[in-house]
Amino acid sequence: MKNNLYYPKVSLSDEDIFAEIKKERETIGYYSLPYTDTSSLKSRLNNLNFKQKNIAIIGIGGSTLGTYAIYNFLKYNKQKNQTLKKDIYFFESTDPVNLNGTICEFDLNDTLFIVISKSGTTIETVSIFKYLSSLVKMDKLNLLVITENDSKLNSFAQHNSLETFEIPKNVGGRFSVLSNVGLVPLYLAGFDIDEILNGAKKISTSFFEQNELYNHLIKKARTYYEYKDVYNINAVFSYSQLLEGFNKWYIQLWGESLGKIDANNTNQGLTPIGLLGPVDQHSFLQLIVEGKRDKTVTFIKIKDFKDDTKISPTNLKALEELDYINNIDFKELINLQADATIASVKEYQKDIPIDLIEIEEISEFEIGKLLFYYELLTSLVGKFLRINTYDQPGVEGGKIILKEMLKSKK
């Protein structure tokens, strides 16, 4: 993972920040997730022996975005290798057209439903669950629950003799993808959850043993902090549609974790933007290059797509001047598009801070690395900002108002 950012000096030393992050591991649960022994979880799921073709995940935010990021990154690769056991569908939105449209895409009667809510009382999740359960009978043969062990949803599951899987109390929703929230559905769908965890473990070990990644992450977090009043928008420019889910997950992680009021009662935050290349090369890139200088850009490339699909040498009348693209691999084309964009920004727009993350290949190991890299980076930036990275008081007010509004309609 390379970068060309300038790193200024700040009052908080590397040692101060690192000591605080190490101390934080004693109370914040996501740090330990990469070291999970999955043998008992896999044995339990194997014994349940669910035969359904599909999985429907009912949840929102941290209960779904991380799983979707991994699924979206890997699903075509798995299908190509014919190892995907189940297709996963996500029910997050209370948009009725989207809800019913998603239902039409698969057979509800051949589906394992997984309801995920850390609190167990998320209105969107319960609303969708109520609706789906009115369309198809749900019981222990086709329904699982993932929640905290003392939630009302867990009580519902116990009352109905449903299988439940715990979300640890010290793991926040947006940091929960490597817990049962992600591991249960991904394993049932046929993904190698141990390799996902091994990728995350690689990042964790490298950082906490203060290897090369340690310096990179500390310096990157420091730069975001020091220049937060100038470059307060952080764009991730991912050159693959497979990373669309990752972009959405990153936006929640970054926005909900870092948009806070600090100890001095000052509003803090860095605005996340998720872009996809080459599509957004033809739109948002213009704003980056010639717009206001308030953005940093992290480019993400996949070095090897392991797909040799080529541009056909078909002769197109009046378009012969483009024949120089004939027989070029699409994987080479998309990475050259990324390289050209990066080179142009470096050469002509030297006041735009950029860096590059290169993913080796499309695999569980690599997406595990990427997710944990950003979780660690988020925690580090939070330390520099002197905020609580793990709460979300700004969204709680809306939940309270919504609850009262719904009650008043009765």
Side-chain angles (χ1 to χ4, degrees), residues 236-239 241 247 273-288 341:
V236 165
F237 212 139
S238 301
Y239 269 77
Q241 291 293 133
N247 283 7
I273 294 177
L275 305 172
L276 289 173
V279 175
D280 288 320
Q281 207 174 286
H282 295 266
S283 56
F284 202 93
L285 181 61
Q286 175 64 35
L287 182 63
I288 292 173
T341 301

Side-chain angles (χ1 to χ4, degrees), residues 299-312:
F299 291 93
I300 303 180
K301 290 173 52 182
I302 300 173
K303 291 175 70 174
D304 188 356
F305 284 82
K306 295 191 182 301
D307 187 309
D308 297 326
T309 304
K310 295 181 181 296
I311 300 170
S312 171

Side-chain angles (χ1 to χ4, degrees), residues 123-142:
I123 287 177
E124 295 88 349
T125 302
V126 175
S127 299
I128 296 169
F129 178 41
K130 281 174 173 282
Y131 179 61
L132 291 177
S133 62
S134 74
L135 302 179
V136 61
K137 179 183 178 182
M138 295 187 193
D139 55 30
K140 64 181 180 180
L141 299 179
N142 68 343

